[in-house]
Amino acid sequence: MYSSPRPLSYAPTPYSYTPNTSLSATINLDEEVKLSTNSTERDLYDSLAEIYSIIITLDGLERAYIKDSITELEYTETCSRLLKQYASNLSDESVAREFIDLETFKRTWGMECPRATERLRVGLPATISHPTPTANASHASSSTSYPPHLTSTSSAYPHHLVPTNSSTNQQPHPSTNTPSSGSLILLATENFITFLDALKLGLLSKDQLHPLLSEVIQSVNKVTDRDFEGRGKIISWLIRLNGMRAQEELGEGEARELMFEMDGAYAGFKATLS
């Protein structure tokens, strides 16, 4: 009789497929695809990849700092290093031209990094733009030690040799005017004078002024965490300079305004020491 039809070894289709040779791949699929054809292009893509990784890392670092997963010292050192690497990569004209700006770069590569965006806009670690009061207080108290006879009103010593507060007849608070704090005050003063001298000498580009002003605020924060008159101006000028291109210069009017406000900030800093 009739034998049953032999089952097909593949799923039937309503149409037959005939390969189109004109649409076939013209490259060897086993060969590595290269993004660049020369060393210049390769360096460009490497720098853009570095910038991408810095932004992602910086956003994660900001999250870790907010969650108190790392210490302030670790955060400050790592954030400062990432910001310097970011600026160093963009100092290359070809990289900066391809990068365009941060918002364009984020849109191009589909990045959502709000914390890193804010940190790159400011250009300073959060511990420097907003120093914590406990940091300087603990440093001052730990840097000064007193012998037992200065921390006790024992009758073993004559009364006129025991240091007391004339108004409350209590032990005086340990002074922060120690040799270590004196050197910090000197360093901050030198940084202020160096920055003001740079302006007087006509150094007006971002790559000349931003590092000097960063040293000013960092050295000031090591001396005092008080919000003295003019401190906010230092931060605002740092943000303003950070938004400029490396070779971009301040205008004559901007330079005079900066000089005036930094003179005021220097006077405000000196007032906190009296």
Side-chain angles (χ1 to χ4, degrees), residues 12-194:
T13 58
Y15 59 88
S16 59
Y17 171 73
T18 304
N20 187 346
T21 56
S22 63
L23 299 178
S24 299
T26 58
I27 62 173
N28 183 2
L29 299 180
D30 295 327
E31 183 180 352
E32 179 184 1
V33 177
K34 296 182 178 180
L35 297 177
S36 57
T37 56
N38 53 58
S39 60
T40 302
E41 289 184 357
R42 183 170 61 251
D43 290 341
L44 174 62
Y45 290 130
D46 284 345
S47 296
L48 293 174
E50 279 292 325
I51 293 174
Y52 183 95
S53 64
I54 288 171
I55 296 172
I56 296 297
T57 304
L58 189 57
D59 197 70
L61 179 68
E62 292 292 314
R63 292 175 184 271
Y65 176 64
I66 293 173
K67 295 179 180 179
D68 206 20
S69 300
I70 58 175
T71 64
E72 288 193 358
L73 180 61
E74 292 173 329
Y75 165 80
T76 304
E77 292 178 348
T78 305
C79 186
S80 298
R81 184 170 65 252
L82 290 172
L83 291 174
K84 289 178 181 177
Q85 291 171 345
Y86 176 83
S88 177
N89 277 285
L90 288 178
S91 62
D92 188 293
E93 291 185 6
S94 61
V95 176
R97 187 166 50 250
E98 186 72 21
F99 179 79
I100 303 177
D101 57 58
L102 181 57
E103 292 301 324
T104 303
F105 186 81
K106 286 167 54 183
R107 269 196 314 272
T108 301
W109 301 105
M111 304 176 71
E112 291 292 338
C113 303
R115 293 176 176 82
T117 302
E118 176 63 16
R119 190 55 48 213
L120 291 170
R121 184 187 71 85
V122 174
L124 290 170
T127 48
I128 295 177
S129 58
H130 303 287
T132 54
T134 55
N136 288 341
S138 61
H139 173 76
S141 61
S142 62
S143 62
T144 307
S145 58
Y146 296 87
H149 70 279
L150 292 182
T151 58
S152 171
T153 55
S154 171
S155 59
Y157 294 90
H159 179 72
H160 68 279
L161 293 180
V162 179
T164 59
N165 188 307
S166 59
S167 60
T168 61
N169 199 29
Q170 294 178 351
Q171 291 300 319
H173 190 276
S175 171
T176 57
N177 191 19
T178 61
S180 59
S181 63
S183 62
L184 294 177
I185 293 172
L186 178 61
L187 178 61
T189 302
E190 289 177 348
N191 288 335
F192 261 116
I193 295 173
T194 300

